[in-house]
């Protein structure tokens, strides 16, 4: 059985991806790693390594020690955080990717998953049903790093036969761990206010549509993409993935169906400008046609699960 390394495993996606991979391949096959010590209880039932992805020697050591074949690289600075620290965001998001791509180029590992984002699109991109191939002029540090990363992934695939696979995730909604500084974080934060019975101060305006997805759909898509036969992977930059598109007002109204007294106030901040540069909805027909992507969670189902499971204790 192959051994898998997840880098950035303690974050919003990593926590659930490790659980999903361990369910599928066995807990000892999946090595969780993060720059942070193993504080996530949910990762404690299997192997864990403290690893800074910028430390190439330690990365090689961990890969050799566990005889890793596949790496899921999740460590990055996200959109809102990257705007505050552009130089470091560029370093982490690019050098981390090169360290892993080069391991595959040298034949040390066989397969890579690296996530891109809807942030690769920009203000000049068609906003509705954004195509796979279109104008891409991202206006954020994060988006620039993701678009550059996509180009490098395709380059390594074509020039060096590296099997790297990628998805442009929309904003992801989950309750197991908090989001890490993105522009779509409001769609998670709002449930914590609803559960506490507090008014929610939304940092985006009420009519800002953005593509989002419930985490379980994203994890299933990721593992399915990685397990698909190599011939079915036609796009080596990154696949569009749509999910559900809604505005803050629409998710607020959905939550009010179960919490009728819930209140919201709109106080857009610097993240509004980032959101305005992104698509409102995504055309993901290539992912559907090439490797059978299909989402299961609509807005109603997502809200129901979040309201049932978000924990505001402690
Ligand atoms: N969450 C989303 O909505 C979303 C949407 C689009 C794309 N993505 C992408 O998915 C990936 C994971 O996102 P996330 O939401 O889980 O992020 P997150 O911020 O929640 O988690 C990132 C993890 O990486 C770790 N990390 C930071 N620097 C590191 C380093 N030098 N070495 C090792 N680990 C390090 C952090 O400790 C953290 O646990 C990122 O590449 C992100 O750009 C996320």
């Amino acid at each position: 059985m192959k051994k898998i390394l997840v880098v950035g495993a303690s974050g919003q996606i990593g926590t659930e991806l490790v659980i999903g991979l361990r369910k599928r391949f066995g807990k000892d096959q999946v090595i969780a790693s993060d720059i942070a010590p193993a504080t996530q209880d949910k990762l404690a039932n299997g192997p864990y390594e403290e690893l800074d992805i910028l430390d190439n020697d330690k990365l090689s050591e961990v890969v050799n020690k566990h005889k890793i074949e596949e790496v899921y690289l999740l460590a990055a600075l996200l959109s809102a955080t990257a705007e505050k620290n552009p130089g470091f965001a560029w370093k982490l998001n690019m050098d981390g990717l090169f360290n892993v791509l080069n391991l595959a180029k040298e034949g040390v590992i066989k397969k890579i998953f690296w996530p891109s984002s809807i942030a690769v699109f920009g203000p000049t991109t068609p906003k509705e049903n954004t195509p796979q191939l279109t104008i891409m002029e991202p206006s954020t540090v994060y988006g620039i790093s993701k678009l550059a990363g996509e180009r490098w992934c395709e380059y390594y695939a074509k020039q060096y036969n590296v099997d790297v696979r990628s998805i442009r995730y929309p904003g992801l909604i989950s309750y197991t761990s908090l989001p890490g500084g993105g522009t779509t974080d409001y769609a998670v934060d709002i449930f914590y206010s609803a559960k506490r019975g507090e008014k929610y101060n939304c940092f985006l305006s009420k009519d800002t549509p953005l593509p989002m997805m419930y985490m379980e759909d994203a994890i299933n898509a990721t593992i399915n993409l990685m397990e698909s036969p190599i011939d079915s992977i036609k796009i080596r930059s990154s696949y569009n993935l749509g999910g559900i598109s809604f505005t803050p007002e629409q998710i607020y109204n959905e939550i009010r169906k179960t919490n009728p007294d819930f209140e919201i106030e709109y106080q857009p901040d610097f993240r509004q400008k980032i959101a305005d540069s992104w698509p409102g909805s995504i055309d993901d027909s290539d992912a559907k046609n090439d490797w059978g992507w299909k989402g299961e969670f609509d807005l109603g189902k997502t809200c129901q699960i979040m309201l049932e499971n978000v924990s505001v204790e402690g």
Side-chain angles (χ1 to χ4, degrees):
M1 267 289 243
K2 65 186 174 193
K3 288 273 187 96
I4 296 169
L5 175 67
V6 179
V7 181
S10 301
Q12 192 198 3
I13 299 175
T15 314
E16 302 218 21
L17 182 62
V18 168
I19 295 169
L21 288 168
R22 283 184 177 159
K23 219 182 271 172
R24 182 114 168 213
F25 300 107
K27 73 175 168 53
D28 294 328
Q29 305 309 115
V30 181
I31 289 77
S33 77
D34 201 284
I35 196 168
T39 47
Q40 279 279 3
D41 299 346
K42 301 195 177 59
L43 304 182
N45 74 335
Y48 190 94
E49 293 277 358
E50 219 172 295
L51 168 67
D52 177 353
I53 191 59
L54 296 177
D55 183 345
N56 219 357
D57 292 339
K58 180 74 194 278
L59 172 64
S60 294
E61 188 190 309
V62 169
V63 164
N64 289 329
K65 175 177 155 192
H66 294 280
K67 301 190 170 48
I68 298 294
E69 285 185 29
E70 286 183 16
V71 174
Y72 288 68
L73 171 57
L74 304 176
L77 278 204
L78 271 63
S79 57
T81 319
E83 288 306 298
K84 294 181 182 154
N85 199 347
F88 181 68
W90 179 257
K91 182 169 177 55
L92 176 61
N93 296 5
M94 299 312 302
D95 289 358
L97 176 58
F98 278 123
N99 287 348
V100 177
L101 283 174
N102 284 331
L103 279 180
K105 180 186 168 192
E106 290 153 13
V108 180
I109 57 171
K110 294 203 172 111
K111 214 192 269 184
I112 300 167
F113 175 79
W114 172 81
S116 186
S117 157
I118 54 162
V120 291
F121 301 115
T124 51
T125 303
K127 276 210 172 306
E128 291 315 317
N129 216 20
T130 301
Q132 175 71 39
L133 295 175
T134 185
I135 301 168
M136 296 166 96
E137 296 183 314
S139 52
T140 62
V141 175
Y142 177 67
I144 294 168
S145 74
K146 288 294 184 187
L147 181 55
E150 286 191 9
R151 301 320 308 149
W152 279 111
C153 286
E154 191 183 281
Y155 186 87
Y156 269 67
K158 292 201 166 143
Q159 297 296 324
Y160 310 125
N161 244 346
V162 165
D163 189 359
V164 54
R165 306 180 182 198
S166 178
I167 286 172
R168 292 173 181 151
Y169 287 134
L172 298 180
I173 301 175
S174 66
Y175 60 85
T176 40
S177 73
L178 290 169
T183 303
T184 51
D185 290 7
Y186 93 84
V188 176
D189 298 343
I190 194 169
F191 291 101
Y192 286 84
S193 296
K195 275 296 269 272
R196 286 197 191 98
E198 293 168 355
K199 182 196 273 186
Y200 179 60
N201 284 322
C202 185
F203 59 75
L204 297 183
S205 70
K206 65 182 192 177
D207 49 4
T208 309
L210 284 171
M212 304 272 186
M213 185 176 286
Y214 182 59
M215 186 63 84
E216 198 174 316
D217 269 345
I219 299 302
N220 288 338
T222 303
I223 300 177
N224 288 347
L225 170 73
M226 286 294 274
E227 291 305 303
S228 292
I230 195 158
D231 295 345
S232 63
I233 311 300
K234 310 253 171 28
I235 291 171
R236 290 297 181 166
S237 52
S238 189
Y239 276 96
N240 271 9
L241 217 58
I244 39 177
S245 284
F246 55 82
T247 63
E249 186 79 345
Q250 284 170 324
I251 194 171
Y252 167 66
N253 285 333
E254 190 64 40
I255 294 171
R256 278 198 23 181
K257 288 182 185 165
T258 31
N259 294 33
D261 296 330
F262 182 43
E263 288 182 88
I264 192 165
E265 195 175 323
Y266 295 98
Q267 295 178 327
D269 66 12
F270 73 100
R271 288 168 280 193
Q272 182 66 44
K273 204 169 149 208
I274 300 178
D276 286 341
S277 76
W278 288 355
S281 59
I282 300 282
D283 174 1
D284 52 14
S285 40
D286 283 296
K288 286 176 178 142
N289 294 337
D290 290 0
W291 46 276
W293 149 247
K294 190 172 174 296
E296 303 283 338
F297 294 84
D298 61 15
L299 180 59
K301 204 163 159 187
T302 301
C303 287
Q304 190 193 337
I305 296 172
M306 290 297 285
L307 286 169
E308 277 166 15
N309 290 285
V310 154
S311 166
V312 291
E313 277 143 38

